[in-house]
């Protein structure tokens, strides 16, 4: 079984999907001969040509608008938004058009497209290349939101997303694009959307995370173990649909919950998770639910490591909830 990083896993998934289905089309800024700013589409132009690997203008509204037309006429576009921060010029198309086609047509029409977008901080990108906008889209009925943390999931979840009949926002954690490595099966396989995974079993507290923050949560759990704390780590993988059953089962077992995300705290997806846990696990809770998040400021350039909820901040939250 080959070892891959996330970029290689994404590239492999796109290649497999395009070989198996001639309707799959990749498009975006510099995705063609250049292979994408992070090289996620490297080599696809040479194999599939300019009709299926399409370089677009620097116009995200146009990219998504074009992808909508393609999807409605039977193609399966996979547009890349170069950085997730750049998705906002296409916000109207996504929340007012893409998300509502199935509903407004009474189920007659679907809009099957996958928008890939590198998200998050950790690369010294400053406040225009480091945002985590997942909560905007989880809030929009009709959109699915997927955030892998590792190469195995990146490939399997992307293949599932491409074959899903509904539109999917596929946020990729660019901070660990090359740092996260793991065994990835050759050939085609699919990981189901809407299924979380317990990556570390524990009894005293549940740490909930996704994407790049899963790595911080896992590190914090390992450091906590050296201090005698036994933590469970839950990688959500999919934010919409959300695996509520896995969340409830884990927190009901441990009695404590820590939710980690790098987006700002106020109205981040952690707030929704906290409400769900309180509603469904109230009688099992032994301590208040803790959120470890980014701050309610623009993403800073010089204080990037202070802004991100790294393992030391998570470890402190573990100490507080277990000793409550």
């Amino acid at each position: 079984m080959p070892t891959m990083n996330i970029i290689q896993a994404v590239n492999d998934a796109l290649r497999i999907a395009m070989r198996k289905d001639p309707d799959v089309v990749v498009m975006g800024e510099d995705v063609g001969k250049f292979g994408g700013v992070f090289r996620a589409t490297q080599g696809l132009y040479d194999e599939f040509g300019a009709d299926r690997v399409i370089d677009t203008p620097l116009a995200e509204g146009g990219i998504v608008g074009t992808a909508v037309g393609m999807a409605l006429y039977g193609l399966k576009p996979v547009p890349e938004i170069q950085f997730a921060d750049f998705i906002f010029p296409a916000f109207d198309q996504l929340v007012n058009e893409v998300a509502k086609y199935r509903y407004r047509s009474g189920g007659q029409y679907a809009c099957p497209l996958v928008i890939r977008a590198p998200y998050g901080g950790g690369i010294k990108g400053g406040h225009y290349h480091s945002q985590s906008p997942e909560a905007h889209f989880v809030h929009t009925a009709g959109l699915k939101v997927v955030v892998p943390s590792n190469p195995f999931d990146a490939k399997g979840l992307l293949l599932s997303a491409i074959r899903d009949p509904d539109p999917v926002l596929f946020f990729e954690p660019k901070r660990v694009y090359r740092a996260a490595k793991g065994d990835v099966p050759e050939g085609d396989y699919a990981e189901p959307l809407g299924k979380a995974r317990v990556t570390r079993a524990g009894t005293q507290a549940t740490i909930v995370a996704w994407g790049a923050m899963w790595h911080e949560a896992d590190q914090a759990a390992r450091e906590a173990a050296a201090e005698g704390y036994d933590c469970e780590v839950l990688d959500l993988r999919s934010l919409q649909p959300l695996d509520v059953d896995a969340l409830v089962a884990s927190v009901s077992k441990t009695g404590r919950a820590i939710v980690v995300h790098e987006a700002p705290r106020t109205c981040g997806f952690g707030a929704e998770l906290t409400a769900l846990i309180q509603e469904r696990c109230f009688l099992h809770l032994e301590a208040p639910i803790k959120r470890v998040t980014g701050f309610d400021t623009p993403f800073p350039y010089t204080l990037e490591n202070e802004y991100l909820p790294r393992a030391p901040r998570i470890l402190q939250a573990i100490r507080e909830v277990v000793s409550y």
Side-chain angles (χ1 to χ4, degrees):
M1 187 180 298
T3 298
M4 295 185 184
N5 60 35
I6 292 178
I7 283 287
Q8 293 167 327
V10 166
N11 183 274
D12 195 30
L14 292 171
R15 192 180 306 275
I16 288 171
M18 295 180 78
R19 284 175 177 172
K20 291 204 167 188
D21 187 347
D23 289 333
V24 176
V25 177
V26 171
M27 57 194 296
E29 299 161 7
D30 297 322
V31 301
K33 291 183 178 181
F34 189 64
V37 67
F38 293 105
R39 302 299 187 269
T41 56
Q42 192 166 37
L44 299 182
Y45 182 90
D46 294 334
E47 179 171 351
F48 301 103
D51 289 339
R52 295 185 65 198
V53 184
I54 304 166
D55 280 319
T56 68
L58 304 180
E60 286 73 21
I63 293 170
V64 175
T66 301
V68 171
M70 289 178 166
L72 294 177
Y73 277 87
L75 296 176
K76 296 181 181 178
V78 187
E80 175 183 293
I81 302 298
Q82 199 169 77
F83 287 82
D85 314 57
F86 304 165
I87 205 168
F88 297 113
F91 195 76
D92 178 59
Q93 288 92 331
L94 286 166
V95 303
N96 280 328
E97 303 298 336
V98 172
K100 295 176 172 60
Y101 264 108
R102 182 185 292 280
Y103 181 84
R104 70 187 288 196
S105 68
Q108 295 181 75
Y109 301 103
C111 192
L113 58 85
V114 179
I115 298 176
R116 294 182 42 251
Y119 85 97
I123 65 163
K124 293 295 182 184
H127 50 287
Y128 292 123
H129 300 77
S130 306
Q131 295 174 79
S132 300
E134 65 269 17
H136 293 290
F137 302 104
V138 177
H139 182 71
T140 302
L143 298 176
K144 295 180 178 179
V145 180
V146 178
V147 192
S149 66
N150 60 78
F152 177 88
D153 286 345
K155 179 178 175 180
L157 290 170
L158 182 54
L159 284 168
S160 291
I162 292 171
R163 292 159 183 166
D164 196 274
D166 291 311
V168 180
L169 276 294
F170 196 86
F171 289 112
E172 299 165 5
K174 61 180 179 287
R175 182 165 73 91
V176 293
Y177 255 160
R178 291 177 173 82
K181 299 178 181 179
D183 292 337
V184 177
E186 294 186 77
D188 196 349
Y189 68 92
E191 283 294 296
L193 307 186
K195 291 294 182 182
R197 176 181 290 137
V198 174
T199 59
R200 181 185 181 91
T203 60
Q204 289 185 294
T206 297
I207 310 173
V208 184
W210 56 90
M213 288 302 100
W214 173 85
H215 297 271
E216 299 296 332
D218 184 68
Q219 179 64 30
R222 293 176 186 277
E223 293 177 8
E227 298 183 14
Y229 301 114
D230 187 21
C231 296
E232 184 150 297
V233 180
L234 183 68
D235 185 352
L236 290 185
R237 307 200 300 169
S238 174
L239 309 186
Q240 183 62 268
L242 175 67
D243 193 347
V244 177
D245 290 342
L247 179 68
V248 170
S250 180
V251 177
S252 295
K253 179 181 73 172
T254 65
R256 300 172 179 86
I258 300 162
V259 180
V260 183
H261 64 71
E262 60 180 285
R265 178 185 180 91
T266 300
C267 294
F269 190 55
E272 176 65 20
L273 293 173
T274 299
L276 280 170
I277 293 168
Q278 190 275 337
E279 289 169 355
R280 304 193 181 210
C281 305
F282 181 74
L283 295 179
H284 297 277
L285 290 175
E286 301 290 341
I289 303 160
K290 195 83 171 176
R291 284 180 287 168
V292 185
T293 71
F295 301 113
D296 291 335
T297 68
F299 195 98
Y301 176 76
T302 55
L303 298 173
E304 184 173 49
N305 285 331
E306 285 71 22
Y307 180 93
L308 290 170
R310 306 293 295 270
R313 285 174 57 193
I314 303 170
L315 180 58
Q316 180 58 33
I318 293 169
R319 297 186 187 115
E320 291 174 3
V321 299
V322 174
S323 62
Y324 179 81

